[in-house]
């Protein structure tokens, strides 16, 4: 029932790469920003109490860039999606603890957390879909 042009687009490998790059943009963009603004990343991690920042910033850069690359390349994408989902989940208690806040700040951070949870759901769906594609391609289940 899918119109032919839509089916062609959805089955296009180039469209898949574009979609995965777009989905992970928030992560590889943040990874590149931290890489090229290392001092700012250190200050940000220290602001949020993540210490020693000099250890955790490089780890975050690796997770953000490697996880994104795995997803975009669709190689062990399930692991890349998982890395990005766990990273996103960890940012909630570290950078967005709305339950400790009052007023407008609490509401703003609550909405950020809701967006993070929705993104985690999207990453989970991506992991499922990429795993199924890999299983079909290799004949494993």
């Amino acid at each position: 029932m899918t119109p032919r042009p839509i089916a062609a687009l959805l089955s296009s490998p180039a469209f898949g790469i574009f979609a995965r790059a777009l989905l992970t943009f928030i992560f590889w963009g943040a990874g590149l920003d931290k890489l090229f603004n290392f001092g700012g990343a250190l200050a940000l991690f220290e602001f949020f109490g993540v210490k020693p920042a000099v250890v955790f910033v490089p780890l975050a850069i690796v997770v953000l860039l490697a996880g994104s690359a795995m997803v975009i390349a669709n190689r062990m994408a399930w692991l890349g999606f998982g890395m990005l989902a766990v990273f996103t989940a960890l940012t909630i208690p570290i950078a967005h603890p709305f339950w400790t806040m009052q007023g407008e700040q609490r509401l703003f951070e609550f909405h950020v957390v809701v967006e993070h949870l929705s993104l985690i759901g999207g990453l989970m769906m991506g992991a499922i879909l990429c795993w199924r594609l890999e299983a079909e391609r290799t004949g494993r289940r």
Side-chain angles (χ1 to χ4, degrees):
M1 300 297 274
T2 306
R4 224 180 278 215
I6 301 298
L9 181 65
L10 295 176
S11 65
S12 164
F15 186 73
I17 292 168
F18 176 71
R20 291 188 305 274
L22 193 58
L23 176 62
T24 59
F25 174 71
I26 192 170
F27 301 107
W28 57 262
L32 291 174
D33 178 59
K34 286 170 181 41
L35 182 64
F36 293 117
N37 184 13
F38 195 78
L42 288 172
L44 181 67
F45 274 53
E46 288 173 1
F47 173 80
F48 285 116
V50 180
K51 295 178 183 174
V54 72
V55 171
F56 286 104
V57 169
L59 182 60
I61 292 169
V62 168
V63 167
L64 293 167
L65 296 179
S68 296
M70 294 164 86
V71 168
I72 293 167
N74 200 18
R75 297 291 179 253
M76 292 180 49
W78 58 269
L79 179 58
F81 278 117
M83 292 165 61
L84 299 175
V86 169
F87 179 88
T88 303
L90 289 174
T91 67
I92 294 171
I94 294 169
H96 308 289
F98 68 90
W99 53 91
T100 66
M101 301 170 184
Q102 299 296 319
E104 289 183 28
Q105 184 182 17
R106 178 185 180 107
L107 183 61
F108 174 81
E109 293 297 338
F110 172 77
H111 286 290
V112 170
V113 168
V114 169
E115 290 172 357
H116 278 46
L117 294 174
S118 293
L119 179 56
I120 291 168
L123 293 168
M124 293 165 69
M125 287 301 304
I128 291 167
L129 294 172
C130 286
W131 179 82
R132 286 183 180 170
L133 288 172
E134 184 178 320
E136 287 175 9
R137 186 175 62 240
T138 62
R140 291 181 288 162
R141 274 269 171 192

